[in-house]
Amino acid sequence: MRKKVSTLSDMAKLAGVSESTVSRALSNSKLISVKTRERIQALAKEANFSVNTTARNLRLQKSNTIAVVLLIHSENDQSTTDPFILRLLGVIADELTRIGYDMLLASHTSPNENALKNYFDSKKADGMIVFGQGNDPALFDHLLNNDMPFVVWGTKDPHQRYLTVGTDNFLGGKLATEHLINQGCKHIAYAGRKTIETELRFHGYQDALEKADLPSSPLIDIHFTYQDGYNVATKLLETQQFNFDGIVAASDTIALGILKAFNDFNAEKELSEQAKPFSIVGYDDIEVSKFMHPSLTTIRQDTYEGGKRLVELLFKQIHKKPAHSVELETKLIERGSSKLV
Amino acid sequence: MRKKVSTLSDMAKLAGVSESTVSRALSNSKLISVKTRERIQALAKEANFSVNTTARNLRLQKSNTIAVVLLIHSENDQSTTDPFILRLLGVIADELTRIGYDMLLASHTSPNENALKNYFDSKKADGMIVFGQGNDPALFDHLLNNDMPFVVWGTKDPHQRYLTVGTDNFLGGKLATEHLINQGCKHIAYAGRKTIETELRFHGYQDALEKADLPSSPLIDIHFTYQDGYNVATKLLETQQFNFDGIVAASDTIALGILKAFNDFNAEKELSEQAKPFSIVGYDDIEVSKFMHPSLTTIRQDTYEGGKRLVELLFKQIHKKPAHSVELETKLIERGSSKLV
DNA sequence: TGTTAAAATGCAATCGTTTGCAATACATTC
DNA sequence: GAATGTATTGCAAACGATTGCATTTTAACA
């Protein structure tokens, strides 16, 4: 095997020209004659040479990398487990790969301004996509003040100065609830948590009930996981506190957990002791929801569209073009789980 | 706002010392007196300074980054959709973050040796974790020959010289099949594809049947998605070719797709026309499998353990320590879906 | 063939760190 | 106070690419 050529200067020697010429030839500059350009490109391919991105980035003062940051706010906030978030990450990865950018994935447990800012200061990333708005509205101010490009997945709020991509959570909560009302449900509960990102879903739920003159129950506090949905619902069932004919779940995972708890519970009971069926609507439309039996009625948050828009919006900022938060279509997907009563 | 200090030289001026001193102080070198060291560190914190990683990496000839590469072999091989892979990615991201490394995520549609090698040549990554062994055994040779550290998720094979982490696919297929046999199934089908990674599952299936003197059917070709499981099964049901009392599915997604097809089919038919129930075992144990009704019997591939081992094994290589492929525990998780007959 | 403009190439500075070595400061001892 | 040794610090050369400007080559024309 020939001595490996790993730098521009190696290539220069190999081709008998200067480093500048090689550099220009490889970037297809028309300063270089077509003949030498092609010759050098062929040579590079043959020698299996590719420029050192680190050096290149240093010189160009950019990183060609987008940081995707998961802000973890509590023990139970397992973003790296959530199928919806994971799917969204997959889409983003595809998008970034497509346009030639690298994706840097990191999760932060106790996020602070500097941790985020550091991605830019240390020139690790040219832009950032953040999951988890959290409860610290000042968290993003540092970034904003130094105009570092970033987008947040989540709810748009007039008070926030940063850009977001997400569905209309108020509308989502409302659509879900209205649907259950139309199905004839009278005692509708809301299962989930009140995070900044999802609080509006709960308000949408309350609003719909109010307009229909139906009572709203206090929120059933459940983390966004299958397991917690299952645990909490099981407890309610066992203590006979599970007396709803409709449930609005803050995520599909929660909804599926609850459904499972219900099925398991009834499976072990005599007919007389069984809990009564109920209708349920989820949120997200993760892929598996369609394949449950009964399939899950839910509010779709289109992951493909969402991922694309996040990237698109981020690059608008990077290129200093005008940009506005986007609200994805917020749509009820009607399936089997809401026809159980 | 004071002029922002963004380089070592800025810091040097600020502190009234040389760049070298700042550099050493920040890396806690004992060459620098404790007093100035602390002073400078405080100053850096206050000025919100952090070293430029790009420059640092160039100088140190490393990237502090691990590339995670998804090799996509066909249109239908949607790794970025697969819940099992996505979950594994989440674990890896957590692990890498924990030890202070960045994770670079990329998918490649038409992988070739150079595309992979390029991550090292261009100094983008110090190591690589690969998903998708594919059908080109020579694909990794370039990497091996230039001893670039990488690990592959998948099946261990004596012919392969590279390191892998994964379950014992032969055993997995066998356990799944034996379990169905023990449940009394007589006509057991295998649903999935024959990729390098999973071919052994099929052989395990065949082996178990052979040992039990039962006939094996030809493989039902299904891509590793819910949807394809659903589509193919539906077609079989409609053409009355669905006459198995047991199915070994090559993934949980396939299994769930099939179950759904079955449920949907029977829901629209008269009792007399309904397809007969069957037992089914999946593969992976994705989280949702536990929350199906009936819950899915499956072969667990522990994602947490798997992710940790991948990272661990990779770093053994990076640090030039002896390393061997690891085979994760391959275990049948018995649940409801295999007691249907 | 000589002159001039245009095309192609090369020189050298720069991006922000780290680190071997040289240089300075300080403390210690006689 | 001189001499020695030890702690601290600074100088300057890398790391590998890009690019404005200077320089050379080529082409074109008289």
Side-chain angles (χ1 to χ4, degrees):
Chain A
M1 192 174 68
R2 268 191 256 94
K3 192 161 112 264
K4 78 190 262 193
V5 353
S6 58
T7 77
L8 268 196
S9 123
D10 294 344
M11 274 296 297
K13 267 170 219 142
L14 191 69
V17 294
S18 75
E19 298 179 26
S20 354
T21 301
V22 178
S23 171
R24 290 187 175 109
L26 292 180
S27 63
N28 236 323
S29 154
K30 46 216 151 321
L31 276 179
I32 305 298
S33 73
V34 188
K35 204 172 58 182
T36 43
R37 224 189 295 170
E38 283 172 350
R39 186 171 64 87
I40 291 179
Q41 286 172 3
L43 232 45
K45 187 162 296 175
E46 192 196 318
N48 214 315
F49 170 83
S50 51
V51 299
N52 179 319
T53 10
T54 308
R56 173 169 222 275
N57 290 341
L58 173 59
R59 174 61 229 241
L60 296 183
Q61 298 284 56
K62 61 183 309 238
S63 64
N64 236 272
T65 298
I66 300 300
V68 176
V69 180
L70 306 176
L71 263 27
I72 315 282
H73 298 288
S74 78
E75 282 290 307
N76 298 294
D77 170 2
Q78 306 259 22
S79 303
T80 55
T81 305
D82 188 302
F84 175 73
I85 305 253
L86 286 175
R87 178 70 188 98
L88 210 37
L89 290 182
V91 175
I92 294 172
D94 281 350
E95 275 300 288
L96 291 177
T97 302
R98 199 174 56 76
I99 60 178
Y101 266 71
D102 289 331
M103 163 172 164
L104 201 58
L105 183 58
S107 47
H108 283 266
T109 346
S110 45
N112 65 64
E113 310 83 49
N114 293 338
L116 297 190
K117 198 157 162 294
N118 185 50
Y119 284 95
F120 296 99
D121 288 344
S122 66
K123 293 275 162 37
K124 277 189 189 175
D126 301 335
M128 193 160 88
I129 296 176
V130 183
F131 288 86
Q133 288 168 282
N135 36 25
D136 179 6
L139 183 59
F140 299 119
D141 279 352
H142 268 70
L143 301 179
L144 280 170
N145 293 336
N146 300 53
D147 57 17
M148 295 165 167
F150 74 101
V151 197
V152 177
W153 168 263
T155 282
K156 179 176 150 189
D157 181 310
H159 301 299
Q160 289 156 357
R161 292 154 54 219
Y162 55 83
L163 295 179
T164 59
V165 173
T167 50
D168 182 338
N169 284 296
F170 182 84
L171 178 61
K174 196 170 160 181
L175 286 176
T177 313
E178 284 173 352
H179 174 65
L180 289 177
I181 294 172
N182 291 338
Q183 298 293 315
C185 297
K186 299 294 181 203
H187 296 99
I188 304 176
Y190 181 93
R193 315 211 78 200
K194 246 166 141 177
T195 68
I196 288 212
E197 293 95 329
T198 58
E199 188 173 12
L200 285 171
R201 297 182 193 169
F202 184 59
H203 291 157
Y205 153 82
Q206 290 180 311
D207 187 64
L209 287 181
E210 204 167 305
K211 293 230 169 78
D213 257 334
L214 286 173
S216 74
S217 322
L219 167 149
I220 305 174
D221 190 46
I222 305 184
H223 293 287
F224 288 65
T225 63
Y226 299 112
Q227 191 66 56
D228 208 42
Y230 184 85
N231 293 347
V232 173
T234 299
K235 195 154 290 172
L236 289 177
L237 284 160
E238 282 171 351
T239 55
Q240 254 106 40
Q241 298 180 272
F242 197 92
N243 25 29
F244 324 105
D245 54 6
I247 297 182
V248 174
S251 79
D252 284 0
T253 50
I254 292 176
L256 297 183
I258 293 176
L259 275 173
K260 175 63 172 166
F262 171 79
N263 286 325
D264 277 5
F265 181 82
N266 276 1
E268 339 183 298
K269 302 286 173 186
E270 296 297 319
L271 197 67
S272 61
E273 292 180 307
Q274 287 188 356
K276 284 197 295 271
F278 58 93
S279 285
I280 188 167
V281 181
Y283 208 107
D284 289 344
D285 193 22
I286 58 177
E287 200 188 2
V288 77
S289 297
K290 184 175 165 189
F291 295 96
M292 301 298 294
H293 191 80
S295 51
L296 185 68
T297 295
T298 189
I299 303 294
R300 168 172 295 163
Q301 303 202 83
D302 189 326
T303 43
Y304 179 67
E305 188 69 18
K308 274 186 64 161
R309 292 316 199 80
L310 280 167
V311 172
E312 184 184 318
L313 200 50
L314 180 59
F315 276 90
K316 273 193 186 155
Q317 282 184 78
I318 290 178
H319 298 133
K320 310 270 185 206
K321 294 192 185 146
H324 304 283
S325 286
V326 343
E327 213 155 58
L328 300 170
E329 192 191 13
T330 306
K331 193 162 91 181
L332 178 88
I333 307 292
E334 203 177 327
R335 300 208 184 96
S337 71
S338 54
K339 296 168 188 152
L340 298 182
V341 195
Chain B
M1 193 172 64
R2 266 191 257 93
K3 192 159 110 269
K4 79 191 262 194
V5 352
S6 58
T7 78
L8 270 193
S9 123
D10 294 345
M11 274 296 297
K13 268 170 219 145
L14 192 68
V17 294
S18 75
E19 298 179 26
S20 354
T21 301
V22 178
S23 172
R24 290 188 175 110
L26 292 181
S27 63
N28 236 324
S29 155
K30 42 211 156 322
L31 275 179
I32 303 299
S33 72
V34 188
K35 203 170 61 179
T36 44
R37 222 190 297 170
E38 284 173 350
R39 186 170 65 88
I40 291 178
Q41 286 173 3
L43 233 43
K45 186 161 295 173
E46 191 196 317
N48 215 313
F49 170 82
S50 51
V51 300
N52 179 318
T53 12
T54 308
R56 172 169 223 275
N57 290 341
L58 173 59
R59 174 60 228 242
L60 296 183
Q61 297 285 56
K62 62 181 307 235
S63 65
N64 234 273
T65 298
I66 300 300
V68 176
V69 180
L70 305 176
L71 263 27
I72 315 283
H73 297 286
S74 79
E75 281 289 308
N76 299 293
D77 171 3
Q78 306 261 20
S79 303
T80 54
T81 306
D82 189 303
F84 175 73
I85 306 252
L86 286 175
R87 178 72 188 99
L88 210 38
L89 289 182
V91 175
I92 294 172
D94 281 350
E95 274 301 287
L96 291 178
T97 302
R98 200 174 56 75
I99 61 179
Y101 266 71
D102 289 330
M103 162 173 166
L104 202 57
L105 182 58
S107 47
H108 284 265
T109 347
S110 46
N112 64 65
E113 312 82 51
N114 293 340
L116 297 190
K117 196 158 163 294
N118 184 49
Y119 283 96
F120 296 99
D121 288 344
S122 66
K123 292 277 161 38
K124 277 189 192 177
D126 301 335
M128 194 159 86
I129 296 176
V130 183
F131 288 86
Q133 286 167 284
N135 36 24
D136 179 5
L139 184 59
F140 300 120
D141 280 352
H142 268 69
L143 301 179
L144 280 169
N145 293 336
N146 300 53
D147 59 14
M148 296 165 166
F150 74 101
V151 196
V152 177
W153 169 262
T155 282
K156 179 176 152 189
D157 182 309
H159 301 298
Q160 289 154 357
R161 292 155 53 218
Y162 55 83
L163 295 179
T164 59
V165 173
T167 50
D168 182 339
N169 283 295
F170 182 83
L171 178 60
K174 195 169 159 183
L175 285 176
T177 314
E178 284 174 352
H179 174 65
L180 289 177
I181 295 172
N182 290 338
Q183 298 292 315
C185 298
K186 300 292 181 205
H187 297 99
I188 304 176
Y190 180 93
R193 316 212 77 200
K194 246 168 144 177
T195 67
I196 288 211
E197 294 95 329
T198 57
E199 188 172 11
L200 285 172
R201 297 181 193 171
F202 184 59
H203 292 157
Y205 153 83
Q206 290 179 311
D207 187 64
L209 286 181
E210 205 166 305
K211 293 230 167 78
D213 256 333
L214 286 173
S216 73
S217 323
L219 168 149
I220 305 173
D221 190 45
I222 306 185
H223 294 287
F224 288 65
T225 62
Y226 299 112
Q227 190 67 57
D228 209 42
Y230 184 85
N231 293 348
V232 173
T234 299
K235 195 155 291 173
L236 289 176
L237 283 161
E238 281 172 352
T239 55
Q240 254 106 37
Q241 297 182 273
F242 197 93
N243 26 29
F244 324 105
D245 54 6
I247 297 182
V248 174
S251 78
D252 285 359
T253 50
I254 293 176
L256 297 184
I258 293 177
L259 275 174
K260 174 64 174 167
F262 171 79
N263 286 326
D264 277 5
F265 181 82
N266 275 1
E268 327 183 309
K269 302 284 174 190
E270 296 297 318
L271 197 66
S272 62
E273 291 181 305
Q274 288 188 357
K276 284 198 295 272
F278 58 95
S279 284
I280 189 167
V281 181
Y283 208 107
D284 289 344
D285 193 23
I286 57 177
E287 200 188 0
V288 78
S289 297
K290 184 175 165 190
F291 295 96
M292 301 296 295
H293 191 80
S295 51
L296 185 68
T297 295
T298 189
I299 304 292
R300 168 171 297 164
Q301 304 202 82
D302 189 326
T303 43
Y304 179 67
E305 190 68 17
K308 274 185 62 161
R309 291 315 199 83
L310 280 167
V311 172
E312 184 185 317
L313 199 51
L314 180 59
F315 276 90
K316 272 192 186 154
Q317 281 185 79
I318 290 178
H319 299 134
K320 312 268 185 210
K321 297 193 183 144
H324 304 283
S325 287
V326 343
E327 211 155 60
L328 301 170
E329 191 192 13
T330 307
K331 192 162 92 182
L332 178 87
I333 306 292
E334 201 177 329
R335 300 208 184 96
S337 71
S338 55
K339 295 169 188 152
L340 298 181
V341 194

